[in-house]
């Protein structure tokens, strides 16, 4: 039987739970508690919902949220590059991120395949960034524009790029940029 305090942890708290699987092995799940009844617990994890019978819980503890990985990744950049579509689709989390990066003095570049509406969106956000029209996969042209805008040479490895489309991330990596798939915080 799990410790009594598990039932006292409020819904929404982030926890790590070690539990016994049906085959006898132990497994860990980390996520937010989304549901609980007298028999089971449901966690929302990075891989989806995990349903854990309470009688299988071996140990648990409340854990603090880790810093958002994309924010940390871009915060270490000499130049931060994001896909404009991703930024607009996730404005609730990307706008504060862009503001934070701008305050830190990190040059910001937003790439777009269409270019339409980019200037208006950026002006409305009040950010000193520019949108570069980018044909899919044309990292050399985007990199040349970054260097021209900054009036200096920038090593490809100093550019950190994020986009929610894995093929774009892979293309950026092949060019030499540091790149990660955009995943919003949970």
């Amino acid at each position: 039987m799990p410790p009594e305090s598990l039932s006292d942890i409020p819904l929404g708290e982030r926890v790590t739970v070690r539990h016994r699987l049906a085959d006898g092995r132990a497994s860990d799940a980390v996520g937010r508690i989304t549901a609980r009844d007298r028999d089971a617990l449901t966690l929302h994890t990075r891989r989806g919902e995990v349903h854990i019978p309470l009688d299988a819980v071996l140990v648990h503890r409340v854990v603090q949220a880790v810093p958002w990985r994309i924010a940390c990744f871009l915060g270490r950049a000499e130049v931060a590059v994001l896909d404009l579509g991703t930024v607009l689709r996730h404005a609730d989390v990307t706008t504060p991120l862009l503001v934070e990066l701008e305050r830190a003095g990190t040059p910001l570049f937003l790439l777009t395949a269409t270019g339409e509406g980019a200037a208006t969106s950026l002006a409305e956000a009040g950010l000193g960034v520019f949108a570069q029209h980018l044909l899919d996969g044309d990292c050399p042209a985007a990199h040349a524009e970054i260097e021209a805008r900054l009036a200096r040479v920038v090593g490809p490895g100093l550019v950190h790029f994020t986009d929610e489309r894995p093929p774009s991330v892979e293309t950026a990596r092949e060019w030499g940029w540091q790149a990660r798939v955009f995943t919003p915080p949970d």
Side-chain angles (χ1 to χ4, degrees):
M1 190 71 180
E4 286 298 314
S5 62
L6 183 58
S7 62
D8 297 332
I9 298 172
L11 293 179
E13 284 289 325
R14 189 167 184 269
V15 296
T16 182
V17 177
R18 177 160 290 166
H19 59 284
R20 182 89 41 215
L21 299 173
D23 65 5
R25 292 179 299 134
S27 181
D28 293 327
V30 179
R32 297 199 183 283
I33 301 172
T34 57
R36 176 182 45 236
D37 60 27
R38 61 184 185 87
D39 298 319
L41 173 75
T42 302
L43 299 180
H44 177 76
T45 71
R46 291 185 69 192
R47 293 183 177 87
E49 299 294 316
V50 175
H51 187 74
I52 302 169
L54 290 177
D55 61 1
V57 173
L58 301 171
V59 66
H60 72 276
R61 69 181 170 96
V62 175
V63 293
Q64 298 299 315
V66 294
W68 183 27
R69 287 180 175 92
I70 293 297
C72 292
F73 170 70
L74 292 175
R76 294 187 308 269
E78 183 169 317
V79 176
V81 180
L82 296 90
D83 170 67
L84 178 63
T86 300
V87 168
L88 296 177
R89 279 186 292 283
H90 300 282
D92 57 328
V93 295
T94 57
T95 300
L97 172 61
L98 295 178
V99 169
E100 182 180 319
L101 290 168
E102 187 174 49
R103 283 185 186 146
T106 305
L108 298 168
F109 297 88
L110 301 181
L111 301 180
T112 177
T114 64
E116 296 178 24
T120 303
S121 299
L122 297 174
E124 289 171 1
L127 297 169
V129 299
F130 84 95
Q132 166 69 35
H133 177 72
L134 174 69
L135 296 174
D136 285 334
D138 196 1
C139 291
H143 194 86
E145 182 65 25
I146 289 168
E147 290 182 330
R149 296 255 179 180
L150 294 176
R152 63 183 168 89
V153 174
V154 177
L158 300 175
V159 176
H160 289 206
F161 171 74
T162 188
D163 186 352
E164 60 193 349
R165 298 170 299 174
S168 295
V169 170
E170 189 55 41
T171 297
R173 286 179 181 153
E174 289 170 4
W175 167 244
W177 288 354
Q178 300 289 319
R180 295 218 177 136
V181 174
F182 178 87
T183 53
D186 39 69

